[in-house]
Amino acid sequence: MGQVFNAAKPAISRRGFLITTGAAGLTIAIGTLPRTASGATIASDLGQGVQPNVWVTIGADGAVTLVSPSAEMGQGVLTASPLLIAEEMDADWGRVRVAQAPADMAYGNPEFGGVQLTGGSATTSGYYPLLRLAGAQARLALVAMAAQMLGVPAAELRTEPHRVIHEATGRTLDYGEIAGAGAPPDNLPEATEADLKPTSAFRYIGSTAIPRIDVPAKVDGSAVYGIDVTLPDMLYGAVLRAPVQGESPASVDDAAARAVPGVLSVVTLDYGVGIIAESHDAVRRAKELLSVTWTDTARARGYSSDAMLDSYRNVGRDLYIAGGVDRDEGDAPAAIGGAARVITADYLNDHVHHATMEPMTATARISGDRAEIWAPTQAQSLTTWVASGILGIDPANVTLTTTLLGGGLGRKAEGDFIADAILLARTVEGRPVKVIWSREDDVHHGKYRPLVAQHVQVGLDDAGAITGWRHRLVADSIYVRWYPDAFTESGGMDDTVYGGMDNNYALDAHRTEYLRQDGGLDVGFWRATAEGYTKFGVESMIDELALAAGRDPLELRLALLDHDPRAQAVLQAVADMAGWDQPRPKGRALGLAYSLAWGAHCAQVAEVSLDPQSGDITVHQVWCVVDPGIAIQPVNIEAQMISAITQGISAALYEQINIAGGEVQESNFDSYRVLRMSEAPEIHVRVTPTDNPPAGIGEVGLPPIAPAIANAVARLTEGVRLRHMPFLPERVLAALAE
């Protein structure tokens, strides 16, 4: 998901670090691990001991509990974030425990204006300075306490992992000894950037020897995801939703459902019919027996994705229809109008679904004016607000346990599945209710990536040089639903939908426009958000321009990026890795693409083949070079690149949600096609760190892969362009026939 809250970033201050009674009183239980050679382990709560700030607790036994603020959904933040604190406080990683942060704005992300939310590859960029300062502050507090214990000036002390050392006398104190002696000084030292280590002194940041701490529990089965939550006296629930978004039950025949053994109640809601039972099996069977007549007046009933996409394409092509302007340098329309040659193309993409391995699930218990929630959520703050709003209670009376997420990808930033659990639980006072969506529910009622049409015009002079670039994007808005006030204040702009059109190439005349449509269907954040399709448009067009100018696609990109050595470096490196200029096996070709997004430079080459009879595309190998700035965990960055590339291939070749008359046509993995393990290519990744601010990583690998595949097909077929994702066989055959 992309950046949602654009409020001013709060300053990092001493006040922001001081622990509060409320924060200390909330604990999170996500399973425990035995200590292993990996060092740090997962904690069941925030621990007891000296707390120099909200991020650090030091026990008298020397155990240090560090708080991880973001949701762990496979991207590795449960390790990478605490590692920043441990680095600066000189903690021994083998004596560290990591606790998942409670739902508390004290742990909010500065990138999101202090809201506790995980997405948009913003964890690293948002928390990097804050968590390092938190670690440095903890180290300064330990040094101040040690100075008092040893009777020496703090300036004479230094630290090594888990120890404060007085060089002159050789005396040392373990962090546990210091914590056992008392509390931090009343005047807590305030850390500044001057207190942070230089990169040359890093012990943990950049190390390839520190594995992720969540992996052992995921391997041995002890990890607790939202779907694993089990509580005493727990009930189960489900909600039958209207087939068309926005419609309600008009009449309900629930006699057969109520007759199912174990069913306790049937609840009519504004948006569906809920069932509560003693077992998940009873809930499932009763739900199938409900007979519901739905209202038929929702705007979404008129939504058909094929017709809508055609409409979007026509809007993009009609240059008399004005849109919101994001970037406007030079006079692109005039430059294009006076060009010797104009290259024009439309790039389209269908809706895609998140298809997380763990479907939507949540558990809630309501007791009087208090609510307890267990959920695999990306949005702790939103979850608290949803519960508070539904129940009419103080947000302080909502306790949230954030479990591990079996995939998030933006979908679990939504609150609909959590609302199900809350609404059903309030009807059975004091008993927890666990809701698990079926796979069919998950597919039918997703918050899909927007349907998008991009119209790109580029003017060329007689020598084939670019004179003007105009990029128009037509789509609905995510932001208008998530943060309507900010959407209005921005003049109807939504960078979570159009981000990435503002590309990194040197263009004298460059105009990007967003034409927001309102089809009546909710759309949502999907991995790589806008960049997942805008880079498809940009990088496909760059290849088309290279062909028009008779230039090598690599050479053209390098020339257009002459102002950015980091961009040129990743492009040249990936070309060298893939053997860009070397002959390929018969029937195969290479395609290239580049992306600058979330602060990371990423270039990829895909090797593909094509069956001209069936239209099937096979991706055989992918080479990827990424410059993430400072690489906190290089091994995890490599893993995230592989993950994103794999998902990007799946979306490029297969994934689509079709909607007819407001109803989703797909229902499970038999009809919602994803990449199979047997179809996954060999992926080669090289991480090339530089001394620049660390980038977000979880989404960086996805944007270049679709255009790399399309560009490879074009080279293989001497110019046949694929401009509509996914590249279904019938679409490939149609392109070949043109």
Side-chain angles (χ1 to χ4, degrees), residues 648-692:
I649 293 171
S650 183
L653 297 185
Y654 305 119
E655 296 188 39
Q656 64 172 172
I657 286 289
N658 292 286
I659 300 172
E663 296 192 26
V664 174
Q665 303 302 295
E666 289 72 29
S667 62
N668 207 319
F669 287 125
D670 59 336
S671 53
Y672 187 79
R673 176 84 156 87
V674 298
L675 188 75
R676 313 300 189 208
M677 290 180 66
S678 61
E679 298 165 334
E682 187 175 355
I683 300 175
H684 315 269
V685 177
R686 180 182 298 169
V687 181
T688 58
T690 54
D691 194 14
N692 290 286

Side-chain angles (χ1 to χ4, degrees), residues 68-334:
S68 181
S70 300
E72 176 60 73
M73 49 187 164
Q75 80 279 43
V77 294
L78 202 61
T79 305
S81 294
L83 200 68
L84 301 175
I85 307 172
E87 180 70 77
E88 293 294 345
M89 73 174 290
D90 264 343
D92 178 349
W93 189 245
R95 300 173 72 182
V96 165
R97 308 183 324 145
V98 176
Q100 178 70 55
D104 192 308
M105 293 282 279
Y107 301 103
N109 190 337
E111 192 81 7
F112 296 140
V115 170
Q116 202 174 358
L117 174 70
T118 305
S121 288
T123 292
T124 296
S125 59
Y127 285 108
Y128 182 76
L130 189 153
L131 295 183
R132 289 185 66 197
L133 286 170
Q137 186 186 44
R139 174 170 47 81
L140 293 175
L142 287 163
V143 167
M145 294 172 68
Q148 187 175 21
M149 294 171 66
L150 296 174
V152 299
E156 295 182 7
L157 300 175
R158 66 179 180 85
T159 59
E160 288 186 356
H162 244 72
R163 301 193 74 79
V164 176
I165 300 169
H166 186 236
E167 202 75 58
T169 62
R171 290 181 294 171
T172 69
L173 289 173
D174 182 83
Y175 284 0
E177 294 178 89
I178 299 170
D186 291 336
N187 295 319
L188 190 68
E190 186 170 342
T192 68
E193 288 189 8
D195 297 303
L196 301 179
K197 294 180 181 180
T199 56
S200 59
F202 286 163
R203 291 187 173 94
Y204 302 138
I205 296 175
S207 171
T208 59
I210 300 175
R212 283 171 40 174
I213 67 172
D214 56 317
V215 170
K218 291 176 177 178
V219 172
D220 69 23
S222 62
V224 178
Y225 294 86
I227 203 167
D228 297 322
V229 169
T230 302
L231 299 169
D233 207 26
M234 188 170 74
L235 299 172
Y236 293 82
V239 176
L240 177 66
R241 281 174 158 75
V244 175
Q245 179 188 297
E247 296 187 343
S248 306
S251 64
V252 178
D253 180 352
D254 59 9
R258 288 181 180 275
V260 173
V263 169
L264 301 182
S265 63
V266 177
V267 183
T268 300
L269 305 170
D270 290 342
Y271 59 89
V273 181
I275 295 172
I276 302 172
E278 297 284 355
S279 70
H280 178 64
D281 184 60
V283 164
R284 180 185 59 79
R285 288 190 287 123
K287 181 169 164 247
E288 293 173 352
L289 293 172
L290 285 170
S291 178
V292 182
T293 301
W294 305 95
T295 59
D296 61 0
T297 57
R299 287 186 57 229
R301 186 165 287 279
Y303 192 102
S304 292
S305 49
D306 286 348
M308 195 66 67
L309 190 56
D310 284 341
S311 170
Y312 288 5
R313 175 166 42 194
N314 292 335
V315 169
R317 289 174 173 175
D318 188 344
L319 303 183
Y320 290 101
I321 300 177
V325 177
D326 178 50
R327 179 173 180 174
D328 197 10
E329 297 178 359
D331 189 340

Side-chain angles (χ1 to χ4, degrees), residues 18-26 104:
L18 294 178
I19 195 153
T20 65
T21 302
L26 294 173
D104 192 308

Side-chain angles (χ1 to χ4, degrees), residues 27 34 45 57 73 76 86 150 162 168 194 217 235 255 277 365 417 441 456 483 488 496 531 552 680 688 733:
T27 61
D45 55 48
T57 302
M73 49 187 164
L150 296 174
H162 244 72
L235 299 172
R365 176 165 54 205
F417 60 101
D441 288 340
V456 184
Y483 204 9
T488 301
T496 67
E531 282 83 352
D552 178 80
T688 58
L733 293 175

